[in-house]
Amino acid sequence: MTRPHVLVVGCGFGGFHAVRRLESRLSLDEADITVVTPRDHLLYTPLLPEVAGGLLDPRAVTVPLTGRLRSRLVLGNVDDLDLPGRRAWVTDPEGSRSVLAWDRLVLAAGSVSSPVTIPGLTEHAVGFKTTAEAAFLRDHVLQQLELAMATDDPQVRAERTTFVVIGAGFAGTELVAFLHRLTQAFARHHRSDPPLRPRWVLVDATSRVLPELGRDLGGRALAVLRRRGVDVRLRTTVAEVAQAGVRTSDGRWIPSRTVVWCGGVTPNPLVHRLGLPLERGRVRVDERLAVAGAPGVFALGDLAAVADLTRPGHDTAQTAQHAMRQGRTVADAVLESLGRGTARPYRHHDLGLAADLGGWQAVARPLGLPLTGPAARVAARGYHLAAIPGNRSRIAASWLTGAGRPPLLVHLDLNQRPHHSPLMGSAS
Ligand SMILES: Cc1cc2nc3c(=O)[nH]c(=O)nc-3n(C[C@H](O)[C@H](O)[C@H](O)COP(=O)(O)OP(=O)(O)OC[C@H]3O[C@@H](n4cnc5c(N)ncnc54)[C@H](O)[C@@H]3O)c2cc1C
């Protein structure tokens, strides 16, 4: 008898934890497991703002798959699916295509930056979802300040010293907080006449920053940012992005050569290949994460619409916290379909969220308890160290040795836009 073949598409938070569970429950002669992933690591996205801010090395937030998983890894992207024929097409990083057959399919390919229709955004803005984008941003921002010091043209100087971030959710707010601190350190350490005055603008269509944390904590974060001098413009949208600036919905022009899009994500377009109805772009799954109408297919994480059994009438949020735990549930469901054990419905009470604002500032709501300042920062960092499935001592050492020391203020010539930014094309 041939062994069943489980194909897992994507190895981020959900896929990684699904594969780990499958490997722990299935022996090598019981099933073959293949993981298709464009990356050789799990990217721990919550710490990306610290990479952009120069506090962590990009590699510190990547957990290598080799050595942690024993399944077959296929480097590439699944770009087409044939459900009745149980086949998946894979394109590797050099463009070669191959086909994989499967008996069970687990879709864990996450999300991409929301496709947007703002004129000029795709050409002139960068996204913030990858290590390449985080490293690029740090480099680019430092280089802009160095170029600003060399120009006598006040207009060009304003463009180079003004930085615009669109979207005041977790990614955008933390990014502004960390990069603002980096540019302030730069301005302190470089003599310039006139003095450098880096300016950060955070734009959001809603009336709050960090709406997921509630009015009080969002308000505290807003106060911290404004106290530091960040220009937070709420109830404002971006109408147009150009090479040298941004026009907002109120008609005002912000001179800037750096625009970052953190305006939300949409499920991976791979779900369209299923040919099933979608709900706000996500594929509906049952309580055990099986896709209705597609026998042998399971989905989880950012691309799946999963009923939140702790909040009737709602779906689970698109967070790492849910994706990780859904990984374990989906593995149990696959095992059950192979005649091994019984899967339980997915149910998880949110442990709470945290936003690190750098320095000793943070806001957090662990287990419903609102925290601010150092207590929130300790809670956030403690959670990250517990949640990341590797590199703990490396990250802790960086935090300890970096405390109180100025960041290294050099750029590494990474001044080309990242080629694989989801904003730059893969969202179609
Ligand atoms: C900057 C940033 C900060 C964040 N901060 C937080 C936070 O503080 N707390 C929190 O809970 N959440 C946070 N999130 C959200 C969190 O990262 C996601 O909710 C989580 O990653 C979803 O897990 P997932 O497994 O569904 O997808 P992912 O973890 O994104 O994994 C998907 C994987 O699939 C791969 N893939 C994509 N397309 C294909 C394909 N066609 N074929 C094969 N593989 C593919 C990707 O490369 C990736 O490795 C943040 C996100 C960002 C971008």
Side-chain angles (χ1 to χ4, degrees), residues 360-399:
W360 279 107
Q361 294 298 337
V363 287
R365 194 182 291 285
L367 302 169
L369 181 70
L371 297 177
T372 57
R377 192 143 205 246
V378 169
R381 287 194 154 181
Y383 176 80
H384 292 317
L385 284 183
I388 192 167
N391 294 357
R392 290 191 181 108
S393 52
R394 199 180 297 251
I395 291 171
S398 297
W399 283 340

Side-chain angles (χ1 to χ4, degrees), residues 50-66:
E50 298 208 26
V51 173
L55 299 185
L56 289 176
D57 181 88
R59 285 179 188 79
V61 301
T62 63
V63 179
L65 302 179
T66 309

Side-chain angles (χ1 to χ4, degrees), residues 8-16 36-39 41-49 74 76-79 90 107-112 128-130 170-172 174 262 265 268 270 300-304 317-324 326 352-355 383-384:
V8 180
V9 181
C11 204
F13 285 95
F16 179 85
V36 182
T37 165
R39 299 178 180 144
H41 58 266
L42 178 158
L43 173 59
Y44 193 81
T45 49
L47 291 177
L48 269 185
V74 174
N77 279 289
V78 168
D79 49 27
V90 181
L107 293 174
S111 53
V112 298
F128 184 55
K129 268 185 79 68
T130 65
F170 278 92
E174 289 192 321
C262 296
V265 294
N268 194 304
L270 182 63
L300 69 155
D302 278 7
L303 60 69
Q318 288 171 301
T319 62
Q321 200 182 123
H322 280 295
M324 273 158 46
Q326 288 171 4
L353 293 163
Y383 176 80
H384 292 317

